[in-house]
Amino acid sequence: MKGLYLIGIIITILYDFIKNKKEISPLCCFIGPYAIIIIFSYFLKLQNLISENYIKHIFEVAILWLIISRIIIIIFSKNKISKKITKKKKYSKKIYYLSLLTIFSLSMLQLLTGLKYGFLSIKGKHYGIFAHLYNLTSTFYLAYFLEFLNKKTFIKMIVIIFFSFLCVLGSKLEAFIIFVPLFIYYYEKRQKNILLLVYLFVFSMGIFYISYFIKFHIKEGFSIIEFHQIIKEYYKIYLFSPLIIGSKLLEEPINPNGINVTFSYLINSFNFLFEKNFVSPVLNFYVIAGIRSNVGGMIAEVFYNLGIIFGWIYIIIIGFFSYFIQELYKKNENWFCLYYYMKGILVLCFFNNVFSLLTYNEKLFGSFIISLILIKIKKNRSNL
């Protein structure tokens, strides 16, 4: 039955892909990574470590999100106001310089943090108001890379150098969420420019390589040969543990602290105000077939933390939210910051429930505010 469920997942993704005119929909972003890694598990003979129950749940989520997408389309099609489509136009030089300033400011924050804590220990060292400002404004880099990447070569190279600095010194998930929206955007908007996608992919892989090189070779002192052995095994564990560990989570009893974990971003915000202890959203580590990890994938984590009934309700709400944002973007392309960052988060949900983390909720909220500002600017310019 595993094979049949996998075929069903692939057919659902392809159907939604075609219906969206070969654009990468929320369903493709959310379910696509599961399908790809399940296929690779057969080549590496790891499929027996992935439970049939997990693959069945992934198939059910795919079907459910496909239905949600049709419902949202029907709702928007009946709204006469929403039928007016606003195309995204070029923004003024103020936005250009503001997006540049954002990238440089974030890079400077990394630099100052590195000077204080050491450049090899920078991860997780942004505290206080600066951490929240960083999260709320960091997605504005999209305004530059999606709008102004064709500017002067000299400025472009400076920005890329600073941007690389920003990614290398951050966490791997931070780098991941930066590059995925860019890759999706350039695929959808410049499908004929395959070379650009190749450059972006190679560049992003180079960032990952350098960040791990700093961690294992420079910081921890492993030799080059040992480093390459570690990185090979590390990627294998990191890519397959969401399915392998996730299968284990679905066999476990419901997490008694699951509600607190799922909504830790809200609880921790409340606890911060009243000086109470913070709730950790991190799961316990499991060891299966030599793979030690606490990465179980969003689908498994949600059912483990909330149970079947409330887990399905949670996934349905995320589905409606995702397709609502997509329809907003279709009607007004000035929502591009929120739309592409949201799709990046859905891809990241392959590893864990990103929606339970305060950092990414702040970034999502920041994307919403940035999009509103851009839309307001466009309205003011059009009224002149």
Side-chain angles (χ1 to χ4, degrees), residues 139 141-142 145-146 174-188 200 336-345 347:
T139 58
Y141 76 90
L142 287 169
F145 282 93
L146 272 56
E174 184 75 16
F176 191 89
I177 197 62
I178 284 174
F179 283 105
V180 171
L182 296 178
F183 191 87
I184 294 174
Y185 176 83
Y186 284 116
Y187 164 77
E188 292 182 351
L200 186 60
F336 69 94
C337 264
L338 176 61
Y339 176 59
Y340 283 101
Y341 189 76
M342 180 271 296
K343 292 208 286 189
I345 282 183
V347 174

Side-chain angles (χ1 to χ4, degrees), residues 85-317:
I85 299 176
T86 303
K87 292 290 184 180
K88 177 169 63 66
K89 299 178 181 179
K90 291 295 180 183
Y91 290 96
S92 66
K93 287 186 177 180
K94 290 182 180 179
I95 300 298
Y96 170 63
Y97 289 119
L98 186 57
S99 60
L100 274 177
L101 179 63
T102 301
I103 294 174
F104 287 133
S105 298
L106 296 177
S107 299
M108 287 300 100
L109 178 60
Q110 295 283 58
L111 176 61
L112 293 174
T113 307
L115 290 174
K116 182 176 182 180
Y117 294 101
F119 288 103
L120 302 182
S121 304
I122 195 172
K123 180 181 175 181
K125 293 298 191 303
H126 301 108
Y127 292 116
I129 189 64
F130 290 107
H132 299 292
L133 288 175
Y134 176 89
N135 292 332
L136 290 171
T137 60
S138 60
T139 58
F140 199 37
Y141 76 90
L142 287 169
Y144 175 83
F145 282 93
L146 272 56
E147 280 293 309
F148 304 108
L149 200 57
N150 58 348
K151 293 292 179 180
K152 294 180 180 179
T153 304
F154 177 72
I155 296 178
K156 186 192 306 184
M157 290 304 300
I158 293 177
V159 172
I160 289 175
I161 291 171
F162 270 84
F163 196 65
S164 303
F165 181 69
L166 177 69
C167 296
V168 168
L169 296 181
S171 67
K172 53 184 177 294
L173 292 185
E174 184 75 16
F176 191 89
I177 197 62
I178 284 174
F179 283 105
V180 171
L182 296 178
F183 191 87
I184 294 174
Y185 176 83
Y186 284 116
Y187 164 77
E188 292 182 351
K189 299 303 179 183
R190 303 185 183 182
Q191 292 184 17
K192 294 181 180 179
N193 196 341
I194 302 298
L195 191 59
L196 179 61
L197 293 177
V198 173
Y199 283 151
L200 186 60
F201 178 78
V202 172
F203 184 74
S204 60
M205 288 299 100
I207 292 294
F208 280 112
Y209 182 88
I210 294 172
S211 64
Y212 281 114
F213 183 83
I214 291 174
K215 177 182 178 181
F216 290 110
H217 179 62
I218 298 179
K219 184 179 179 180
E220 299 184 14
F222 288 97
S223 68
I224 296 295
I225 296 176
E226 290 173 328
F227 163 70
H228 284 103
Q229 291 174 341
I230 291 172
I231 202 69
K232 181 180 178 181
E233 189 66 21
Y234 197 84
Y235 274 114
K236 178 182 175 181
I237 291 174
Y238 205 72
L239 287 175
F240 288 96
S241 63
L243 291 167
I244 297 172
I245 303 301
S247 298
K248 176 64 176 178
L249 290 178
L250 292 176
E251 298 173 356
E252 296 284 294
I254 297 175
N255 183 5
N257 197 40
I259 294 178
N260 291 337
V261 171
T262 305
F263 299 100
S264 61
Y265 65 97
L266 292 175
I267 296 172
N268 286 337
S269 299
F270 177 85
N271 289 346
F272 173 77
L273 294 175
F274 293 93
E275 298 182 350
K276 294 185 177 181
N277 294 330
F278 282 72
V279 175
S280 174
V282 179
L283 296 175
N284 295 326
F285 277 85
Y286 291 87
V287 179
I288 300 175
I291 293 178
R292 181 181 183 273
S293 176
N294 64 342
V295 177
M298 175 178 168
I299 295 175
E301 285 187 16
V302 166
F303 288 130
Y304 170 65
N305 286 322
L306 298 179
I308 294 297
I309 296 176
F310 290 106
W312 279 117
I313 293 173
Y314 186 89
I315 289 174
I316 288 171
I317 292 173

Side-chain angles (χ1 to χ4, degrees), residues 5 7-13 15-16 27 31 56-71 312 323:
Y5 286 132
I7 292 172
I9 293 170
I10 295 171
I11 291 174
T12 306
I13 292 172
Y15 175 81
D16 191 63
L27 189 154
I31 303 298
K56 183 186 75 170
H57 279 314
I58 296 170
F59 171 65
E60 291 168 343
V61 172
I63 294 296
L64 181 62
W65 275 41
L66 185 64
I67 295 172
I68 289 173
S69 70
R70 301 303 107 188
I71 293 173
W312 279 117
Y323 275 98

